[in-house]
Amino acid sequence: MKPIFADAAAIENAVKLLRQGRLVAFPTETVYGLGADAANPDAVRRIFQAKGRPTDHPLIVHIASVDSLTDWAQAVPDAALKLAAHFWPGPLALILNKKPDVSPVVTGGQNTVGLRVPDHPVALSLLRAFGGGIAAPSANRFCRISPTQARHVEEELGSAVDLILDGGACQVGVESTIVDLSGTRPKLLRPGYITQFDIEAVLQTELLVVSSQTEPTNPSELRAPGMMAVHYAPITVAMLCPTDRLPEIIQTLNFRNKKVGILAYSLKQAENSLTLLIHMPKQADDYAQALYASLRDLDSLQLDIILVEQPPETAAWRAINDRLGKATSASQ
């Protein structure tokens, strides 16, 4: 399926397809989503089939405004309203106790549902025209690199998608922050552009933080996407490397005649013809926007290994380090 420019006619066509139970990929500020009518269990099942995603992994429902929260949530706590007022539309998903009529197909069998209002003109126009919730995980194969451009969706899912709306490159570039408000104390399930400290400042309370590198052993704890130990990963083996060890590791691999791709912000040039360097931005926001597209570019080159320079381990880089920790699997 070739992407089409997301003008008014394309959005009208997308709405028709969604109402027919078909799949529509669309841009958000974070990544491209693979959308289906969240009120149509058969349509939502097609998402799982297209992605190869296990059916016990819950989906996030995208809604047009905070007013739609009560269509999906059994109760809306004050904390949810405070966060929505500060961060919606925006890259924040809230986990709330679901209404009884919300399909377990959407929630992965959980008694909670994830909700967010995306901050992208195409996504918002689509949601307003559709008039309901759109269940939409990232538009890629399960556990692979998320798409931040329309062509990534085409390359990854092809004819499994009925329509791809092209709204340009995603501005944030990594998935939304996820906060669980279904219990007695707020939990940070997945870091993102909106930081733990941003959320704590609004709620005036500390969040419980779920370790991003520990996969839940109890299915009932799998309340949100992206909680697998391996996720966002290229097909090519990838290794996260400390800055001070990067030259040594590159030299060793070059000696073994390995074709090496590198994502780095400190190196100025590639070592030799066996090495391909993508020079990454030094600012966290710019790095995040470029990350998935850069990984995809290297992954397409039939390399032996991808090396990723370890970013700073500060709050601004937390979401990026979370994604890289899951995307890289080789040991140093």
Side-chain angles (χ1 to χ4, degrees):
M1 172 58 62
K2 292 288 184 184
I4 64 171
F5 177 69
D7 58 14
I11 288 173
E12 182 180 356
N13 187 31
V15 169
K16 290 178 182 178
L17 290 171
L18 288 169
R19 289 175 178 163
Q20 293 168 6
R22 311 279 285 279
L23 300 183
V24 173
F26 62 95
T28 76
E29 77 280 28
T30 57
V31 300
Y32 273 73
L34 180 61
D37 180 357
N40 182 339
D42 289 337
V44 175
R45 288 187 184 97
R46 294 190 180 99
I47 293 177
F48 290 94
Q49 293 165 0
K51 285 178 61 73
R53 180 187 180 103
T55 57
D56 62 352
H57 284 238
L59 305 179
I60 291 173
V61 177
H62 294 68
I63 55 178
S65 75
V66 66
D67 296 335
S68 299
L69 276 176
T70 53
D71 295 336
W72 302 90
Q74 178 74 17
V76 181
D78 288 343
L81 295 176
K82 288 179 181 178
L83 292 176
H86 277 79
F87 300 119
W88 282 1
L92 174 68
L94 303 178
I95 307 297
L96 302 174
N97 290 305
K98 76 177 187 70
K99 294 184 77 169
D101 59 348
V102 175
S103 171
V105 178
V106 173
T107 67
Q110 301 294 321
N111 60 1
T112 55
V113 61
L115 300 159
R116 92 172 181 102
V117 179
D119 188 15
H120 193 288
V122 172
L124 288 171
S125 294
L126 178 63
L127 285 160
R128 289 164 184 160
F130 180 62
I134 299 177
S138 56
N140 55 280
R141 300 289 178 184
F142 183 61
C143 285
R144 294 304 178 190
I145 305 169
S146 298
T148 55
Q149 299 175 26
R151 66 178 178 87
H152 298 160
V153 183
E154 178 188 4
E155 293 164 358
E156 185 96 4
L157 296 178
S159 61
V161 188
D162 297 296
L163 180 65
I164 302 172
L165 294 173
D166 189 346
C170 300
Q171 293 302 300
V172 172
V174 294
E175 298 78 4
S176 57
T177 306
I178 300 179
V179 176
D180 185 356
L181 299 175
S182 66
T184 57
R185 184 173 170 187
K187 293 180 184 178
L188 179 66
L189 300 187
R190 183 174 71 185
Y193 178 82
I194 296 171
T195 70
Q196 173 185 348
F197 306 105
D198 295 332
I199 295 161
E200 289 177 339
V202 171
L203 296 183
Q204 292 294 294
T205 188
E206 289 188 5
L207 295 175
L208 290 173
V209 179
V210 176
S211 172
S212 62
Q213 301 303 319
T214 302
E215 190 171 318
T217 55
N218 186 341
S220 67
E221 296 174 359
L222 192 65
R223 296 204 178 272
M227 296 183 72
M228 302 288 290
V230 177
H231 216 111
Y232 321 111
I235 296 172
T236 309
V237 173
M239 179 191 295
L240 199 57
C241 305
T243 298
D244 60 355
R245 290 204 57 210
L246 192 56
E248 170 199 344
I249 294 170
I250 294 170
Q251 186 176 36
T252 299
L253 291 168
N254 287 162
F255 180 75
R256 297 173 182 169
N257 289 320
K258 299 293 185 182
K259 292 184 290 183
V260 181
I262 306 168
L263 295 186
Y265 53 86
S266 66
L267 294 180
K268 299 302 182 184
Q269 60 186 18
E271 294 290 317
N272 57 37
S273 61
L274 290 175
T275 304
L276 177 65
L277 170 67
I278 294 181
H279 193 265
M280 297 297 287
K282 291 187 176 181
Q283 297 299 315
D285 290 353
D286 296 333
Y287 187 108
Q289 186 180 16
L291 174 58
Y292 288 150
S294 299
L295 269 178
R296 280 181 171 273
D297 287 345
L298 292 179
D299 201 27
S300 69
L301 298 178
Q302 298 181 322
L303 301 168
D304 292 308
I305 192 169
I306 296 171
L307 304 180
V308 182
E309 182 178 6
Q310 172 75 61
E313 297 194 63
T314 62
W317 291 83
R318 183 171 180 189
I320 294 164
N321 280 312
D322 170 77
R323 306 314 190 268
L324 288 176
K326 293 173 183 288
T328 55
S329 56
S331 58
Q332 300 170 22

